[in-house]
């Protein structure tokens, strides 16, 4: 069994990503959708939702995740829109993770449709790691009916970039020692963690590829991005020493939104905060959990970040309570710093199971619970973005937060968003 000891050989890690996951699941359920432009996320005209996943046929018309449904329909009038079905996606995800677990016990889910596998030494079982990867892809296609793309490399960051390069329905292997050379020509937007705002900031420095980012002096990056600059430089070289960790019981649930443009628009920030709070409440209720600590996270225009939290003294899964406490924290943060906000996040920690205790009258608690459950039922059937509450209406046609509750239960800490790949 010494062949399976990661310490004896150069690390080899796979990142497996299901292609256009939500759409692919819908196409398995309804084969007539195959080969057609399809978007999951809601129905145009029924709320102001956004596209969560688009088929590759729809992407040819410029339809992509985060785009408003109205704009997607304008760009692709023949696009078929689907609200989404969490039960189908959850079942497909469980089958996906079970298949991966058959190949390696060193499995780290990174979302409902992606995961990392530590595969160092497993070539002795499968002949080669590429052969192992192709076996994984075949089982996923045979048993679930959808395509998977795989990146194989010596670090998690490089493996994920490689899986993006492999799309759709392919596999890219980065040889040992070839990480920096592979990463160099990749566009900076392909690297995980580099959103639109960060990409624009890097473009302003003349940086458009990961190779240019890797060669940038650390002092220059640190002066612009703070401690985040060092991580950017290391990741651009394919250097990432983080290990593959199996999932553990969640200690917190959170979500966040990076804005296309920095903002101090109070109405917009409050509406976004409400939207995120409703997402957190929906996740807590789905998992049967409550939390007693509410926190908000902000990243300012200078890339500095702060986190503020409040212990409630009771456990809750109420949209209203989460939002009310988060709004107080946001107001205090805005009073202490006059910069514009580039990222806003909300989370609930100190999770527990059991009945929630609300600081409301019995009648108010019953009314709040009934409203939350009604929203949950509608959103489960038609998609999270299918309905907006009054406090989120100021978002209008702007892209809403791109994180939807169609995601796994997070292992711990914050959960990130991903585009429809």
């Amino acid at each position: 069994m010494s062949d399976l000891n990661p310490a004896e050989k150069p690390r080899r890690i796979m990142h497996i990503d299901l292609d256009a996951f939500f759409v692919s699941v819908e196409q398995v359920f309804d084969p007539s959708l195959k080969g057609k432009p399809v978007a999951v996320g809601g129905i145009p005209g029924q709320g102001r939702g956004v596209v969560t996943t688009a088929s590759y046929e729809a992407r040819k018309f410029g339809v992509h995740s985060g785009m408003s449904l109205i704009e997607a329909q304008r760009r692709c009038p023949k696009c078929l829109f689907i609200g989404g079905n969490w039960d189908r996606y959850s079942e497909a995800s469980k089958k996906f993770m079970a298949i991966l677990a058959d190949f390696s016990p060193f499995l780290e889910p990174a979302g409902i449709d992606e995961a990392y596998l530590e595969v160092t030494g497993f070539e002795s079982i499968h002949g080669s790691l590429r052969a192992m990867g192709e076996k994984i892809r075949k089982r996923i296609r045979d048993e679930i009916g959808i395509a998977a793309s795989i990146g194989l490399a010596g670090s998690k960051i490089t493996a994920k970039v490689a899986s993006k390069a492999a799309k759709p329905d392919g596999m890219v292997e980065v040889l040992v020692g070839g990480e920096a050379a592979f990463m160099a020509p990749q566009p900076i937007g392909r690297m995980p963690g580099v959103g639109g705002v960060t990409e624009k900031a890097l473009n302003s420095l003349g940086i458009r590829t990961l190779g240019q980012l890797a060669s940038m002096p650390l002092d220059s990056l640190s002066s612009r991005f703070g401690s985040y600059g060092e991580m950017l430089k290391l990741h651009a070289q394919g250097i990432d020493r983080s290990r593959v960790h199996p999932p553990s019981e969640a200690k917190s649930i959170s979500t966040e939104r990076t804005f296309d443009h920095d903002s101090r628009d109070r109405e917009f920030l409050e509406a976004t905060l409400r939207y995120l709070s409703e997402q957190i409440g929906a996740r807590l209720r789905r998992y049967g959990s409550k939390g007693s600590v509410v926190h908000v996270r902000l990243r300012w225009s200078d890339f500095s970040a702060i986190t503020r939290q409040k212990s409630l003294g009771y456990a809750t899964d109420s949209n209203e309570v989460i939002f009310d406490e988060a709004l107080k924290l946001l107001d205090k943060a805005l009073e202490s710093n006059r910069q514009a906000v580039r990222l806003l996040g909300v989370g609930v920690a100190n999770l527990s199971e059991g009945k929630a205790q609300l600081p409301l009258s019995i009648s108010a608690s019953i009314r709040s619970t009934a409203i939350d459950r009604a929203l949950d039922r509608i959103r489960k059937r038609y998609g999270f973005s299918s309905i907006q509450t009054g406090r989120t209406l100021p978002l209008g046609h702007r892209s809403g937060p791109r994180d939807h509750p169609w995601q796994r239960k997070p292992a711990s800490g914050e959960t990130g968003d991903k585009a429809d790949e």
Side-chain angles (χ1 to χ4, degrees), residues 191-221:
M191 190 168 76
V194 176
V197 175
T198 303
E199 184 173 2
K200 289 178 182 177
L202 290 168
N203 287 163
S204 70
L205 299 175
I207 299 174
R208 286 176 171 74
T209 68
L210 295 182
Q212 292 173 326
L213 177 56
S215 63
M216 192 74 174
L218 180 57
D219 289 346
S220 299
L221 291 173

Side-chain angles (χ1 to χ4, degrees), residues 18 21-22 25 85-102 107 109 111-115 139-140 143-144 146 286-287 380 406-409:
L18 302 179
F21 178 57
F22 299 145
V25 173
N85 186 301
W86 165 254
D87 291 336
R88 289 177 196 157
Y89 309 145
S90 179
E91 183 62 26
S93 179
K94 290 177 183 177
K95 292 179 181 178
F96 169 55
M97 297 300 174
I99 290 172
L100 298 185
D102 285 344
L107 165 66
I112 192 172
D113 59 349
E114 60 175 316
R139 275 197 59 185
I140 292 171
E143 298 180 25
I144 308 178
I146 60 182
R286 176 174 295 121
Y287 306 148
K380 181 178 181 180
W406 303 331
Q407 295 188 350
R408 67 177 175 89
K409 184 173 182 177

Side-chain angles (χ1 to χ4, degrees), residues 319-376:
N319 292 351
E320 198 67 33
V321 173
I322 295 169
F323 170 68
D324 286 345
E325 296 300 330
L327 183 59
K328 295 174 185 176
L329 295 171
L330 174 63
D331 285 339
K332 290 181 180 178
L334 293 175
E335 290 173 3
S336 64
N337 194 316
R338 303 304 301 173
Q339 292 188 70
V341 178
R342 69 188 303 112
L343 176 149
L344 178 60
V346 182
V348 171
N350 196 20
L351 302 187
S352 62
E353 297 181 357
K355 295 183 178 180
Q357 302 172 359
L358 301 179
L360 305 171
S361 66
I362 294 178
S363 60
S365 297
I366 294 174
R367 184 168 59 254
S368 176
T369 299
I371 292 173
D372 289 346
R373 289 179 177 175
L375 289 172
D376 292 345

Side-chain angles (χ1 to χ4, degrees), residues 224-398:
R224 183 67 182 269
F225 302 102
S227 58
Y228 183 50
E230 181 178 7
M231 186 184 74
L232 285 172
K233 184 176 177 67
L234 290 173
H235 282 186
Q237 300 171 72
I239 300 173
D240 176 14
R241 297 182 177 85
S242 59
R243 296 290 177 179
V244 174
H245 297 289
S248 58
E249 191 64 26
K251 297 180 181 179
S252 67
I253 294 177
S254 63
T255 188
E256 60 188 31
R257 168 71 159 122
T258 299
F259 302 130
D260 293 331
H261 304 284
D262 300 351
S263 175
R264 275 197 71 90
D265 183 331
R266 178 63 166 70
E267 186 179 47
F268 173 65
L269 293 175
E270 181 177 331
T272 301
L273 189 74
R274 176 69 193 200
Y275 193 98
L276 297 175
S277 297
E278 290 178 8
Q279 288 184 312
I280 294 299
R283 291 185 191 178
L284 288 170
R285 292 187 293 276
R286 176 174 295 121
Y287 306 148
S289 298
K290 287 87 183 174
S292 60
V293 175
V294 174
H295 61 83
V296 299
R297 179 170 182 259
L298 292 88
R299 187 178 295 280
W300 306 103
S301 56
D302 67 352
F303 287 89
S304 63
I306 64 167
T307 299
R308 297 289 183 266
Q309 68 178 39
K310 171 68 179 299
S311 179
L312 305 178
Y314 54 88
T316 186
D317 61 3
S318 164
N319 292 351
E320 198 67 33
V321 173
I322 295 169
F323 170 68
D324 286 345
E325 296 300 330
L327 183 59
K328 295 174 185 176
L329 295 171
L330 174 63
D331 285 339
K332 290 181 180 178
L334 293 175
E335 290 173 3
S336 64
N337 194 316
R338 303 304 301 173
Q339 292 188 70
V341 178
R342 69 188 303 112
L343 176 149
L344 178 60
V346 182
V348 171
N350 196 20
L351 302 187
S352 62
E353 297 181 357
K355 295 183 178 180
Q357 302 172 359
L358 301 179
L360 305 171
S361 66
I362 294 178
S363 60
S365 297
I366 294 174
R367 184 168 59 254
S368 176
T369 299
I371 292 173
D372 289 346
R373 289 179 177 175
L375 289 172
D376 292 345
R377 287 193 296 271
I378 294 171
R379 285 166 166 166
K380 181 178 181 180
R381 183 172 182 181
Y382 298 108
F384 195 87
S385 301
S386 63
I387 186 171
Q388 283 185 272
T389 56
R391 302 293 284 271
T392 66
L393 290 178
L395 290 176
H397 290 286
R398 306 187 211 195

